[in-house]
Amino acid sequence: MNARADVLAAIRRSIGATGTEQTRVMAVDDRLERAPRGVVPQRGQVAGEERLALFRRMAEYAQASVDEVASAAQVPAAVAGYLRQHNLPATLRMGDDPRLKAMPWGETTLDLATGPSDGRDLNGLSHAVGGVAETGTLALTSGADNPTTLNFLPDNHVVIVRESDLSGDYEDLWRRLRFAHGKAVMPRTVNLVTGPSRSGDIEQTILLGAHGPRRLHIVVVRS
Amino acid sequence: MSVHPTSPHFKANASKALADAQLQKALGNVKRGFIDKRAKAVANLPEFEALRNAARDIKNHVLAHLDLYLERYAAKVEEAGGHVHFARDAAEARQIVLDLCRTLGAKTVTKGKTMIAEEIGLNPFLEAAGIRPVETDLGEYIIQLRGEMPSHIIAPAVHLTKEQVAGDFRRVHTALDKDRDLTEPVTLLTEARGVLRQEFLGADVGITGANFLIAETGTSVIVTNEGNGDLTQTLPKAHIVLASIEKVIPTLEDASQFLRLLARSATGQEFSVYTTFSTGPRRAGDPDGPEHYHVVILDNGRSSMLGTEFEEMLRCIRCGACMNHCPVYHAVGGHAYGWVYPGPMGAVLTPSLIGVDQAGHLPNASTFCGRCESVCPVKIPLPKMMRHWREREFERHLNPAVQRGSLGLWAFFARRPRLYRLATSVAVRAMALVDRGRGRFARLPFAGGWTQYRDLPAPQGRTFQDQWKARRAGRAA
């Protein structure tokens, strides 16, 4: 009674292999090691202002809103302004991310809370590790810095991303993640987020705010 | 297999579906909702065709090395502190999940949308064992309330109208105001969000499927738009992933190739809202995420498809494009197919998984228009495979005697071209004579089933081959 051995043996019987053929083993090891890039669309092959513009255009196409600030010090005022503009309560929950903690929140009247969400927070704030301009996608990783629950439970999710962390394509994001975590090592959770939550399950009518955030607001930090 | 298939009754199911006015109204949404959006998304990406070829090649490479990739994948999951369980069949997979739930002391499990759970009949099995499964994908939640199967692999409740959903919500959400307004989809969505939010927070175990398993990193990937899969796998103390053997792919780069195809093919989005990569359980210092992470990898007949003419079906990434573009699916919807997987992909996969004796009608329910193959992101030759199933069905003497006899008769003439030409020209002239200028036959001997629904245009006195020859001669001259 070893299901694993049985299933693998059944596969090998069907493809006529033993599992020990050197050529097959080498083909697999080689692919895992080299991780060939495949077809990477031209669309994302832009840099600088063009990359930021593409990121912005694609994120907005996915119904996120995008703001730009010149420096990290301007983030709190921009976030407070966004919440005010949409008549949202002046509350904000975030993780321990030192980049967020270092921002001058004292300049705002926001009521701040720290740690994962229990589902009762209206507004959540996260710092993304990167973004992909090709589709206006944010990349967030789990941990005490940016708890995963903040990405999904609050009604309004505000995400900070540095312009210098934006990638043109997913392949560049993987390169950056491998650089940060090591080859073949992943953070526990990587969330790629493209716009706010939605569902089309009732009569194919797309509606925002299914189970995750109803609004996604992105603040890009330049410089 | 525990969900009792009604696939053997496809013909009766289809007749019923065609006469169901509410279903026909809802099915109009399939045509309107999917085709144009996909076409637009594809047109926006010049590399789409190249990506289809790349994705096909990756899957072919994986299938040729499937045993090795599964071993590599399992080792990486275990390295990250997760557990991998292999299941030979549906019964074994169900039992693994139940045992895990019992060990974890689970009373309620939330579920992200997983077709594998449907395939193994997980919900009724858990319920019988006193564990309450709660579907959290809006479409799956609706059909769970109705005790139905999904009718579409990515839009499980596409067969329903908003009025039907409103009726179900009133019937089940009895704690809410009886006079509330449920006329618009947005009010239905808001109500489901409120009800399910409590379920997310109270669940002991979260069960999701997997769009991909990445061998390089031991990562499972889910793709959703609602965020339900993420709340399902993040909030409870344990996350159980259900996947089948062919879901494994080599690397993150390979995942990117498929992700560029998946959303565009499925919903016409540039990218789905949430694409989530999960590797093992919560780590030291993590303030949230599951403490336990298990992956159940199901075979259930797939390994015996390898090395056969149905191997290419294992490339399928479950986008639903084939059914969205299928005239038969548009006409009868998903339930008529009688099991978990409808449309062209279901017509090929279902006989493999539950037997051609059970599901032989499905590959026959095709016009062979070829749209399914032309939109398939991994270029599965679905019409060719449906033909293979028809051959198998014939070989195993599963067709009715009249059909076999007629085919045998036709084959006798087809193998004798001169006789064939003679017989057809006699028949065509005879029919033209009998027709006497009316232009159509409302009734024909031996073809009552066909003429019941339409007239047969009367032949004009010459066979196709005659006309073809005449035209060729004319062109040459």
Side-chain angles (χ1 to χ4, degrees), chain B residues 2-62:
Chain B
S2 83
V3 182
H4 191 66
T6 67
S7 308
H9 316 299
F10 176 81
K11 288 183 179 179
N13 294 348
S15 299
K16 214 172 100 192
L18 288 166
D20 183 337
Q22 202 139 28
L23 173 67
Q24 292 300 322
K25 183 178 166 215
L27 285 173
N29 294 325
V30 176
K31 279 187 261 188
R32 278 192 295 277
F34 288 112
I35 295 178
D36 292 349
K37 285 186 202 164
R38 176 195 171 276
K40 189 176 166 207
V42 169
N44 280 340
L45 191 72
E47 293 86 354
F48 193 82
E49 190 58 24
L51 282 160
R52 288 176 77 202
N53 290 331
R56 174 199 58 202
D57 295 347
I58 294 167
K59 282 282 182 182
N60 285 348
H61 166 78
V62 169

Side-chain angles (χ1 to χ4, degrees), chain A:
Chain A
M1 166 72 193
N2 183 341
R4 181 182 302 208
D6 268 7
V7 170
L8 293 175
I11 292 170
R12 285 174 180 141
R13 258 197 315 280
S14 290
I15 57 185
T18 63
T20 55
E21 298 88 348
Q22 273 308 305
T23 46
R24 293 177 75 241
V25 172
M26 277 166 62
V28 166
D29 288 342
D30 178 62
R31 181 152 196 124
L32 293 176
E33 180 56 37
R34 282 191 307 116
R37 281 161 52 90
V39 178
V40 182
Q42 271 303 310
R43 185 199 289 175
Q45 310 311 306
V46 287
E49 290 290 332
E50 271 186 274
R51 182 180 293 180
L52 177 57
L54 176 65
F55 175 79
R56 185 173 186 136
R57 180 161 59 82
M58 295 312 295
E60 286 169 350
Y61 183 70
Q63 289 166 282
S65 52
V66 183
D67 194 4
E68 292 169 26
V69 296
S71 74
Q74 293 173 14
V75 166
V79 173
Y82 170 79
L83 296 177
R84 205 166 41 240
Q85 190 194 331
H86 289 88
N87 286 323
L88 298 169
T91 60
L92 197 60
R93 177 173 285 277
M94 66 178 93
D96 294 331
D97 195 309
R99 292 168 297 187
L100 296 176
K101 292 282 171 191
M103 293 170 182
W105 296 101
E107 293 172 6
T108 70
T109 56
L110 292 176
D111 185 5
L112 299 182
T114 307
S117 178
D118 63 1
R120 279 178 293 195
D121 307 289
L122 273 175
N123 308 322
L125 178 76
S126 306
H127 204 301
V129 295
V132 180
E134 186 179 327
T135 46
T137 299
L138 292 163
L140 299 116
T141 54
S142 56
D145 286 358
N146 292 286
T148 303
T149 40
L150 289 182
N151 301 342
F152 297 99
L153 285 171
D155 275 23
N156 309 292
H157 192 206
V158 182
V159 180
I160 313 302
V161 63
R162 292 199 292 221
E163 184 187 358
S164 57
D165 289 337
L166 293 180
S167 298
D169 48 52
Y170 314 111
E171 286 75 5
D172 185 59
L173 174 69
W174 305 138
R175 188 185 59 78
R176 287 166 190 257
L177 274 181
R178 287 189 185 115
F179 185 75
H181 297 268
K183 164 75 180 163
V185 179
M186 286 281 270
R188 197 208 92 74
T189 309
V190 178
N191 292 122
L192 301 187
V193 177
T194 312
S197 162
R198 70 200 62 189
S199 175
D201 272 349
I202 298 172
E203 295 196 346
Q204 303 306 104
T205 309
I206 305 289
L207 299 165
L208 297 187
H211 292 297
R214 302 169 196 269
R215 288 191 182 90
L216 175 68
H217 183 64
I218 304 170
V219 181
V220 180
V221 180
R222 310 204 60 177
S223 84

Side-chain angles (χ1 to χ4, degrees), chain A residues 6 12 31 149 188 212, chain B residues 67 88 193 226 254 280 288:
Chain A
D6 268 7
R12 285 174 180 141
R31 181 152 196 124
T149 40
R188 197 208 92 74
Chain B
D67 52 328
R88 284 166 283 219
R193 178 183 170 108
E226 297 183 5
D254 294 319
D288 49 22

